[in-house]
């Protein structure tokens, strides 16, 4: 499961790019009960979204630079510059070369060989999210890719991930754990991309009541991409898009 003890290669941050951050703030604070704190003009009014004073996500005004509104998953990296070279050598694309964020850390953005964007975070003063797996916070991340088997080698060469195929109904589900973690440190999965869709990483946010959250989301302007469904042993989940099209999932975990 996700924790705030961020091992190299584990998801450690998530933010959404928005063409209208004020509208996005209203949507997400209304949906999840978040508080939003602006970092000021010197940080382009980037918002920290918080639950009980602990940061659970960010809202960025850089939608155009990212090619539109979307959620971006960050993975912990001890050295952003070194991992950028590794990613290029493995067949990935650099979308934003490593750069510093004024003592808070160092980041870079990439696309994997299939085109799914992701980022890395080299921690400074900001180690990562302050809360995960609780209501209103990140609970899981998932890669949607056209070739789930073929993409494994890329991420394993970059992050050293351990990937285990777990049974799920009549199929298996690849579950990712950081190299330095144990069987309890799984943090992500890999899923088959639907034909015609674009490869992407998807964040799941934990909520107390999946169906109630979906209904509230619709009232706030969300689009339901897949209605609430129950997966035995996992929980009840639904797939949404915010008013600007950024995709995310909500889940009420069964365990």
């Amino acid at each position: 499961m996700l924790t705030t003890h961020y091992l190299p290669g584990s998801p450690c941050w998530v933010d959404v790019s928005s063409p209208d951050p004020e509208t996005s703030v209203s949507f997400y604070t209304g949906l999840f009960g978040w508080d939003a704190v602006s970092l000021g003009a010197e940080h382009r009014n980037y918002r920290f979204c918080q639950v009980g004073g602990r940061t659970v996500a960010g809202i960025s005004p850089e939608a155009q630079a990212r090619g539109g509104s979307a959620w971006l998953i960050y993975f912990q990296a001890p050295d952003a510059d070194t991992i950028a070279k590794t990613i290029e050598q493995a067949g990935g694309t650099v979308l934003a070369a490593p750069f510093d964020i004024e003592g808070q850390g160092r980041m870079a953005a990439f696309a994997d060989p299939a085109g799914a964007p992701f980022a890395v975070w080299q921690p400074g003063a900001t180690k990562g999210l302050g809360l995960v797996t609780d209501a209103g916070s990140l609970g899981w991340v998932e890669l949607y890719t056209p070739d789930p088997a073929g993409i494994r080698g890329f991420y394993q060469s970059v992050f050293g991930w351990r990937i285990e195929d777990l049974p799920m109904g009549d199929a298996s589900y690849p579950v990712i754990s950081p190299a330095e973690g144990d069987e309890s440190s799984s943090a992500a999965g890999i899923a088959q991309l639907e034909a015609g869709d674009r490869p992407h990483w998807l964040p799941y946010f934990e909520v107390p009541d999946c169906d109630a959250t979906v209904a509230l989301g619709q009232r706030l302007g969300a689009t339901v991409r897949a209605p609430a469904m129950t997966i035995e042993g996992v929980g009840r989940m639904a797939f949404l898009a915010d008013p600007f099209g950024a995709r995310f999932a909500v889940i009420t975990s069964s365990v």
Side-chain angles (χ1 to χ4, degrees), residues 75-231:
F75 299 96
Q76 205 268 7
D79 187 322
D81 295 85
T82 298
I83 207 166
K85 295 176 183 177
T86 302
I87 288 168
E88 286 190 280
Q89 292 167 356
T93 302
V94 177
L95 302 179
F99 63 95
D100 289 324
I101 302 181
E102 298 186 16
Q104 298 305 307
R106 189 164 174 82
M107 69 162 287
F110 308 92
D112 70 21
F118 65 99
V120 300
W121 179 253
Q122 178 184 331
T126 297
K127 305 303 181 185
L129 300 174
L131 183 70
V132 295
T133 70
D134 284 1
S137 68
L138 186 69
W140 190 252
V141 299
E142 200 165 57
L143 173 64
Y144 284 80
T145 185
D147 183 5
I151 203 66
R152 295 183 185 208
F154 167 78
Y155 284 104
Q156 287 173 317
S157 68
V158 170
F159 294 118
W161 284 344
R162 291 181 292 105
I163 303 177
E164 181 182 6
D165 291 302
L166 298 184
M168 185 170 289
D170 297 329
S172 62
Y173 180 65
V175 173
I176 296 163
S177 300
E180 298 177 15
D182 56 24
E183 63 276 1
S184 67
S185 61
S186 58
I190 305 175
Q192 179 67 51
L193 184 73
E194 293 185 2
D197 199 357
R198 66 183 188 277
H200 61 283
W201 280 93
L202 186 76
Y204 283 67
F205 294 100
E206 189 72 35
V207 295
D209 186 325
C210 178
D211 294 84
T213 301
V214 171
L216 175 58
Q218 288 179 289
R219 293 196 296 271
L220 293 170
T223 300
V224 178
R225 295 185 58 88
M229 69 190 88
T230 299
I231 296 181

Side-chain angles (χ1 to χ4, degrees), residues 37-47 61-62 102:
V37 179
S38 174
L39 301 189
E42 65 271 26
H43 294 286
R44 302 180 304 282
N45 291 311
Y46 188 96
R47 273 80 165 181
E62 299 180 337
E102 298 186 16

